[in-house]
């Protein structure tokens, strides 16, 4: 049986295990795929806090010590004001044609009177802010936009904003300023000198030509002006340390004569669904004197409206208010189009971001121009709160007062997000789990979070220490440190809601792999974490796929790939099916849930569709035809031996479920089928001292990570010497940063390596596979949230980041009894 782990009591400092891993990026705020903040640098003050996509989510922190200011978080990023808004912010009209125009089409004085007129953006109906359709079979579009500029505009640096899909060339007043052969979204570039020379008051022309080579199409353009910086927070603190634990990231700084301890806490304790759904994180700051002398101290925290915007140029609205002993700062987009956007590289622009803290005289809660807010902190000025309606920042100033001797003063602020509605599920808009019945407000959530603070800090510290201890015992210290790194990433790449029928839905977003929602072959690798800590969440990963088939909305005899594009879950949007892959995934995970719970009640609810999928695998699974599998980035191919293992394990899992339900005849029949297929597999896949990538290609190899379920579920359908031979083979194929996925490329998948390593018979061998993954995480030059797809011969990401699949790192803990 798979063991479900429960955190131990609060540890003492002596058994707390420190994490020494230099993270590729440090998790700071972990609520859901939209409200997600990361530090992409070693030092918290070396760059802007960012969303996992890489978009800036500015969050600035500074400490005043004896009138000297030390910036410890973020930086004073350049701000931009729209001169000509893009379509996502405001509709604009341009001239366009689908017919190739005269060569002078991009000239300022070209006559476009015979062209069509349309509102931007131009593109496919599924793309953001499209108002004029440009779709297949039309491949090319030519577009012209007139922009009026004033004398004052020309005194500032002017930047071009643009989005395109795919090939584009852009001209400003007849001069080419940009050309690219692939797509770009929300890009920003300063106009080159030759274009600046042609700027003039009044009429200016931006001309674009875009060619759609495949898939979706999009073209949009605008202008912005940079707002000069004052650099009031130029002096950085000295960062002394940083470490990542499962639920917390801890920093220590020296700010003159004062030490600052800063902790970001996301209380993602999975035995409490209400808690992991609560959209509130904590930022704890503790100050003490380094030299024992008295110091006068104040703290400053500032957040940009970008936390509630898809694009930083969108207009926002901000306000300050107090309730129930707490003061709040609130910001959100002016447009508030609920569930109005979907896609991959997209951020939320409905609902509201909040900063909250004590409602007390020593605190100031301000909204306004960021430069004025910083002057209020450094110089004591009173900012004009009406100065920049449409782009106000939020700021908290805490006058801590005298810090001296050995006394440590601890305080906190809270960060949270009210998305109002989280998911559209087959036509019904769903609120987040914490407010599924609409009976609560975000103020209630913050009040409860504030009340729970002391208890949660103890629980989180206990959980963090317990995880490090258990994972170290199971797979070594480096394995434990990797698990701590990815814990919040895996959970917060999902959204927890209830279906209209009251079923739990724990819906993933495919971060930087296409934006699909509820993808089964993302669920499959992520599942070990949730099987360990709360199998109910694993059911939430499957319920929507069962419903999709059982409702009759999905009629094929195999499982669907997804139910839409995040956050719109109205049906599969992925372009291709994965029949064997997804059916096998669903059946195996249903068996894993039964093993974790000690009963197959969940399987009984879905027995009919499980039977249909299993029979499909019996008929089509041994030697799969040309199709995609979860490693779809490697392309279509037939006779996939690892995919065949998945099919066989799906059938064996169904047999296990039948046995647990007392269906002995069914169990015997399907177990015999699985064993017969496994024996055939061994003969078909054999290649001297290892087993092939595909049945028909000698001299090939691949990771057979799907075999891990034969071990974990104790189905024993595959001969043990298969695993022994594969592990020995893999040890000879490792590169500096890990074991390649197969013989075709040097890239790998980190989650699959850990699944493969779990097949090893002993901890020492397991650690041989973990060491290169750790080395990659510790040395990669691509500073982004942990990627699962990277090169094994160089410290570079191949693609993907911040995905939930890193929950698969925890599979070794499932192997511990």
């Amino acid at each position: 049986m798979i063991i479900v782990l429960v955190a131990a009591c609060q540890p003492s400092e002596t058994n707390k295990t420190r994490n020494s891993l230099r993270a590729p990026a440090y998790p700071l705020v972990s609520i859901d795929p939209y409200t997600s903040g990361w530090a992409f640098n070693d030092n918290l003050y070396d760059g802007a806090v960012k969303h996992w996509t890489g978009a800036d989510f500015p969050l600035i922190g500074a400490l005043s010590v004896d009138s000297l200011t030390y910036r410890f978080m973020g930086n004073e990023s350049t701000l931009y004001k729209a001169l000509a808004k893009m379509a996502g912010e405001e509709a604009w009209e341009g001239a366009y044609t689908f017919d190739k125009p005269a060569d002078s089409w991009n000239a300022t004085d070209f006559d476009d009177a015979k062209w069509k007129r349309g509102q931007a953006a131009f593109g496919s109906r599924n793309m953001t802010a499209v108002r004029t359709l440009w779709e297949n079979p039309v491949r090319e579009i030519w577009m012209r936009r007139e922009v009026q500029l004033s004398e004052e505009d020309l005194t500032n640096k002017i930047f071009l904003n643009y989005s395109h899909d795919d090939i584009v060339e852009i001209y400003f007043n007849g001069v080419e300023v940009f050309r690219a052969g692939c797509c770009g979204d929300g890009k920003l570039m300063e106009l080159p000198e030759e274009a600046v020379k042609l700027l003039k008051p009044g009429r200016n022309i931006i001309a674009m030509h875009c060619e759609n080579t495949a898939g979706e199409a999009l073209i949009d353009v605008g202008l912005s002006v940079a707002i000069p910086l004052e650099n009031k927070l130029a002096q950085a603190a000295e960062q002394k340390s940083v470490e990542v634990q499962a639920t917390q990231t801890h920093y220590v700084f020296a700010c003159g004569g004062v030490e600052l301890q800063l902790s970001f806490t996301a209380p993602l304790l999975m035995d409490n669904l209400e808690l992991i759904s609560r959209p509130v994180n904590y930022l704890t700051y503790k100050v003490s004197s380094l030299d024992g002398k008295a110091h006068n101290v104040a703290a400053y925290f500032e957040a940009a409206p970008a936390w509630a915007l898809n694009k930083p140029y969108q207009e926002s609205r901000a306000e300050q208010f107090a309730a129930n002993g707490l003061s709040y700062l609130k910001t959100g987009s002016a447009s508030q189009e609920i569930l109005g956007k979907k896609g991959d590289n997209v951020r939320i622009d409905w609902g509201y971001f909040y900063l909250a803290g004590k409602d007390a005289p020593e605190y100031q809660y301000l909204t306004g121009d960021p430069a004025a807010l910083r002057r209020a902190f450094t110089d004591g000025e009173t900012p004009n709160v009406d100065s920049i309606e449409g782009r106000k920042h939020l700021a908290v100033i805490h006058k801590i007062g005298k810090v001296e001797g050995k006394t440590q003063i601890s305080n906190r602020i809270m960060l949270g997000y009210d998305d109002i509605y989280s998911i559209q599920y087959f036509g019904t808009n769903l609120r987040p789990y914490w407010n599924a019945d609409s009976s609560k407000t975000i103020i209630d959530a913050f009040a409860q979070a504030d009340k729970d603070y002391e208890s949660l800090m103890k629980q989180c510290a206990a959980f963090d220490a317990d995880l490090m201890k258990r994972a170290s015992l199971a797979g070594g210290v480096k394995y434990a440190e990797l698990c701590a790194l990815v814990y919040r990433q895996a959970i917060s790449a999902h959204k927890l809601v209830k279906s209209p029928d009251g079923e739990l839905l724990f819906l993933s977003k495919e971060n930087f792999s296409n934006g699909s929602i509820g993808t089964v072959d993302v669920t499959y690798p992520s599942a070990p974490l949730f099987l360990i800590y709360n199998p109910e969440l694993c059911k939430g990963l499957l319920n929507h796929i069962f419903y999709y088939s059982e409702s009759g909305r999905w009629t094929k005899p195999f499982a669907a790939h997804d139910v839409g594009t995040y956050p719109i879950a109205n049906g599969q949007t992925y372009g291709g099916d994965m029949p064997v892959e997804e059916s096998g995934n669903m059946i195996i995970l249903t068996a894993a849930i039964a093993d974790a719970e000690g009963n197959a009640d969940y399987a009984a609810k879905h027995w009919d569709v499980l039977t249909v999928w299993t029979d499909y695998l019996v008929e089509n699974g041994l030697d799969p035809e040309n199709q995609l599998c979860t490693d779809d980035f490697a392309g279509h191919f037939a006779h996939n031996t690892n995919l065949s293992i998945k099919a066989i394990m799906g059938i064996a899992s169904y047999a296990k479920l039948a046995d647990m339900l007392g269906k002995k005849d069914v169990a015997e029949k399907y177990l015999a089928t699985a064993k017969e297929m496994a024996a055939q597999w061994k003969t078909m896949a054999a290649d001297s001292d290892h087993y092939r990538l595909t049945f028909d290609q000698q001299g090939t190899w691949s990771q057979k990570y799907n075999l891990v379920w034969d071990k974990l579920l104790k189905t024993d359908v595959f001969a043990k010497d298969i695993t022994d031979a594969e592990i020995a083979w893999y040890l000879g194929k490792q590169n500096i940063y890990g074991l390649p996925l197969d013989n075709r490329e040097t890239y790998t998948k980190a989650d699959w390596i850990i699944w493969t390593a779990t097949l090893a018979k002993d901890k020492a061998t397991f650690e041989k596979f973990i060491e290169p993954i750790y080395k990659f995480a510790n040395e990669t030059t691509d500073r982004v949230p942990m990627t699962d797809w990277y090169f094994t011969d160089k410290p570079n990401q191949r693609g993907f980041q911040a995905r939930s699949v890193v929950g698969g790192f925890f599979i070794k803990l499932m192997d511990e009894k």
Side-chain angles (χ1 to χ4, degrees):
M1 177 182 293
I2 297 167
I3 305 299
V4 179
L5 303 182
V6 180
C9 60
Q10 184 183 6
S12 68
E13 287 299 312
T14 57
N15 64 21
K16 178 174 179 284
T17 303
R18 179 174 173 80
N19 191 339
S20 59
L21 173 66
R22 186 231 64 175
Y26 293 91
L28 305 178
V29 178
S30 305
I31 291 177
D32 61 24
Y34 286 139
T35 308
S36 173
W38 297 76
F40 281 36
N41 305 93
D42 288 335
N43 296 314
L44 186 56
Y45 46 71
D46 279 347
V49 172
K50 295 179 180 291
H51 186 257
W52 64 260
T53 58
D56 285 356
F57 266 18
L59 187 64
I60 293 176
L63 205 69
S64 173
V65 179
D66 301 327
S67 299
L68 295 176
T69 301
Y70 301 88
R71 176 175 42 83
F72 58 81
M73 176 169 61
N75 59 16
E76 297 179 88
S77 305
T78 301
L79 300 175
Y80 301 92
K81 177 184 177 182
L83 295 179
K85 296 176 181 179
M86 293 184 71
E89 186 178 2
E90 180 178 277
W92 57 268
E93 187 176 88
Y96 72 98
T97 181
F98 297 135
D99 300 318
K100 186 175 181 179
D103 291 344
S104 59
W105 68 274
N106 52 17
T108 305
D109 58 358
F110 178 78
D111 183 5
D112 58 24
K114 294 183 179 180
W115 288 20
K116 298 176 182 177
R117 309 291 298 182
Q119 287 197 325
F122 302 83
S124 307
R125 64 188 69 239
N126 291 328
M127 301 295 276
T128 301
V130 166
R131 297 178 178 87
T132 300
L133 292 180
W134 161 43
E135 296 182 304
N136 286 328
V138 178
R139 289 177 57 92
E140 296 180 80
I141 187 172
W142 290 259
M143 183 275 297
R144 291 166 57 88
R145 179 180 186 180
E146 180 178 314
V147 176
Q148 294 290 327
L149 297 177
S150 67
E151 291 279 5
E152 182 182 355
D153 293 334
L154 303 186
T155 64
N156 298 300
K157 288 185 178 181
I158 294 180
F159 291 77
L160 185 75
N161 306 92
Y162 57 94
S163 296
H164 60 97
D165 192 344
D166 296 293
I167 301 170
V168 71
E169 51 185 303
I170 306 177
Y171 299 83
F172 192 90
N173 285 342
V175 171
E176 183 177 316
V177 294
F178 181 74
R179 181 183 293 263
C182 60
C183 57
D185 180 45
K187 300 296 184 179
L188 181 77
M189 64 166 285
E190 185 176 353
L191 284 180
E193 185 176 352
E194 55 268 35
V196 171
K197 292 177 180 178
L198 297 175
L199 287 170
K200 55 187 177 181
R203 180 176 179 268
N204 293 262
I205 295 293
I206 304 172
M208 299 179 72
H209 169 221
C210 194
E211 180 180 356
N212 179 33
T213 58
E216 307 289 1
L218 179 68
I219 189 169
D220 190 13
V221 68
L223 290 179
S224 296
V225 61
I227 301 172
L229 285 174
E230 293 185 26
N231 288 319
K232 300 296 290 185
L233 309 176
Q235 176 63 50
E238 180 186 0
Q239 184 172 303
K240 308 298 287 187
S241 66
V242 57
E243 70 158 327
V244 178
Q245 294 289 338
T247 65
Q248 302 181 90
T249 300
H250 303 291
Y251 289 90
V252 178
F253 302 92
C255 303
V258 169
E259 179 179 88
L260 168 66
Q261 296 181 17
L262 193 72
S263 295
F264 295 85
T265 304
L268 298 175
L269 305 174
M270 284 185 278
D271 58 343
N272 185 336
L273 298 183
E274 194 78 23
L275 178 62
I276 68 167
S277 173
R278 184 190 297 163
V280 180
N281 279 194
Y282 303 99
L283 199 172
T284 302
Y285 53 106
K286 301 176 181 180
V287 292
S288 58
S289 176
L290 283 170
D291 53 16
K293 297 178 182 179
H295 299 280
N296 189 42
V297 179
Y300 176 81
F301 298 95
E302 178 194 317
W307 283 83
L309 302 174
N310 180 41
K311 302 293 183 185
Y313 53 74
Q314 291 178 258
E315 287 193 5
S316 60
R317 298 290 181 267
E319 62 178 290
Q320 185 275 328
F321 61 94
N324 303 323
L326 295 173
S327 277
Y328 295 86
L329 294 169
K330 169 185 177 182
T331 184
S333 70
S335 59
Q336 288 298 312
E337 297 177 13
I338 305 294
L339 295 169
K341 288 182 173 63
K342 62 181 179 178
D344 195 352
N345 190 5
V346 173
R347 288 142 300 278
I348 194 169
D349 62 1
W350 65 89
Y352 298 92
F353 173 78
Y354 291 81
L355 292 180
K358 293 178 184 177
D359 184 17
E362 63 270 25
Y363 289 85
Q364 285 181 278
Y365 295 86
L366 305 170
T367 68
D369 176 86
L373 295 175
R374 294 163 198 166
R375 288 196 299 271
F377 177 62
T378 59
D379 305 336
E381 293 184 12
T382 300
N384 178 4
V385 296
D386 297 321
S387 58
I388 53 163
E389 185 59 58
R391 50 189 173 91
K392 291 180 179 179
H393 284 220
L394 316 178
V396 179
I397 298 175
H398 178 200
K399 297 178 180 178
I400 299 170
K402 186 180 292 186
V403 176
E404 61 184 330
K406 296 182 179 180
T407 302
Q408 184 181 69
I409 300 175
S410 178
N411 296 278
R412 65 183 179 272
I413 60 172
M414 295 178 287
L415 307 91
Y417 205 98
D418 182 9
D419 59 4
I420 306 173
Y421 286 97
S422 305
I423 301 292
Q424 185 173 103
Y425 185 67
F426 294 102
T428 300
N429 290 350
L430 303 180
R431 294 189 184 274
Y433 181 90
W434 67 271
N435 192 28
D437 62 359
S438 305
S439 65
K440 299 175 185 176
T441 68
I442 191 65
I443 305 306
D444 297 329
F446 271 100
Q448 190 63 50
D450 189 56
K451 180 181 178 181
D452 293 345
Y453 173 78
E454 297 293 346
S455 172
L456 287 176
M457 291 304 104
K458 293 177 182 179
Q459 292 180 56
C460 286
F463 179 86
D464 292 350
D466 183 73
L467 172 59
M468 291 290 280
K469 178 182 177 181
R470 290 179 184 270
S472 294
L473 288 172
V477 171
K478 291 183 177 179
Y479 171 65
E481 292 184 355
L482 286 169
C483 287
L485 169 66
V486 303
Y487 180 85
R488 277 171 280 169
Q489 174 177 318
I491 300 170
S492 61
H494 299 82
K495 192 68 181 183
L496 187 65
V497 294
K498 282 185 178 179
S499 75
D501 295 330
E503 282 197 318
L504 197 67
L505 302 174
F506 195 42
L507 296 167
S508 64
K509 178 177 180 178
E510 274 206 60
N511 291 345
F512 271 10
S513 55
N514 73 10
S516 290
I517 184 171
T519 302
V520 180
D521 59 287
V522 168
T523 288
Y524 178 67
S526 72
L529 174 61
F530 308 109
L531 287 165
I532 290 168
Y533 288 107
N534 192 340
E536 288 300 317
L537 286 172
C538 199
K539 295 176 187 176
L541 293 170
L542 307 185
N543 283 336
H544 57 287
I545 297 295
F546 279 124
Y547 171 78
Y548 196 14
S549 282
E550 292 165 349
S551 67
R553 297 172 185 267
W554 178 261
T555 59
K556 297 178 182 180
F558 47 79
H561 171 271
D562 63 78
V563 288
T565 300
Y566 196 94
I568 307 301
N570 290 333
Q572 179 170 309
T573 53
Y574 186 68
D577 294 329
M578 298 186 186
V580 173
E581 173 71 40
E582 310 301 25
S583 299
N585 291 339
M586 289 294 293
I587 302 164
I588 291 168
L589 292 183
T590 303
I593 290 169
D595 201 59
E597 294 188 322
N599 67 75
D601 294 349
Y602 182 68
K605 288 176 55 179
H606 304 293
W607 194 248
D608 288 348
V609 73
L610 286 169
T611 302
V612 171
W613 294 340
T614 303
D615 287 341
Y616 181 89
L617 296 180
V618 171
E619 183 70 23
N620 301 281
L622 177 59
D623 188 5
E625 62 185 16
N626 189 37
Q627 63 188 275
L628 290 171
C629 68
T630 185
D631 303 317
D632 55 354
F633 50 83
H636 290 75
F637 62 103
H639 317 300
N640 183 339
T641 60
N642 191 47
L643 186 59
S644 176
I645 292 171
K646 180 168 289 182
I648 296 167
M649 284 310 307
I651 297 164
S653 297
Y654 179 81
K656 180 182 178 71
L657 291 168
D659 185 64
M660 294 177 74
L661 290 171
K663 302 176 184 289
K664 301 301 180 183
D665 291 345
V666 174
E668 290 175 4
K669 173 186 173 182
Y670 284 90
L671 183 59
T673 299
K675 288 184 174 180
E676 180 184 351
M677 292 172 72
Q680 291 177 272
W681 183 97
K682 183 178 182 181
T683 300
M684 294 164 62
D687 198 75
S688 181
D689 54 354
H690 68 283
Y691 295 85
R692 301 174 183 176
L693 167 68
T694 64
F695 291 123
D696 61 334
Q697 296 184 59
Q698 292 183 353
T700 60
W701 64 273
S702 64
Q703 291 188 46
K704 309 301 190 300
Y705 52 81
N706 287 318
L707 281 171
V708 74
W709 293 107
D710 199 28
K711 180 181 183 181
L712 296 177
L713 298 177
K714 293 183 170 55
T715 44
D716 298 324
V717 297
F718 284 91
K720 301 303 179 189
D721 60 350
I722 295 175
T723 298
D724 295 342
E726 288 292 280
I727 290 295
W729 178 264
Y730 300 148
L731 288 171
K733 293 297 179 181
Q734 292 206 100
N735 291 325
I736 185 172
Y737 295 116
L739 177 67
L741 183 65
D742 56 49
N743 61 270
R744 293 173 295 173
E745 299 280 354
T746 60
Y747 60 59
T748 193
K749 290 282 271 84
D751 46 341
W752 297 148
I753 293 179
I754 296 177
W755 286 38
T756 295
T758 301
L759 293 169
K761 289 182 176 180
D762 56 82
K763 181 178 175 182
T765 304
F766 175 83
E767 289 182 280
K768 290 179 181 178
F769 291 100
I770 297 304
E771 173 68 34
I773 303 175
Y774 185 94
K775 185 176 178 65
F776 173 82
N778 203 53
E779 297 180 1
T780 177
T781 55
D782 295 324
R783 306 303 298 274
V784 298
M786 185 65 185
T787 179
D788 53 289
W789 185 23
Y790 66 87
F791 293 101
T792 60
D793 57 349
K794 54 187 176 182
N796 296 120
Q797 170 193 29
R798 175 61 180 84
F800 306 159
Q801 63 198 49
R803 299 209 308 164
S804 64
V805 302
V806 293
F809 284 26
F810 289 79
I811 199 163
K812 179 62 175 173
L813 289 171
M814 293 174 61
D815 192 32
E816 300 304 305
K817 303 297 183 283

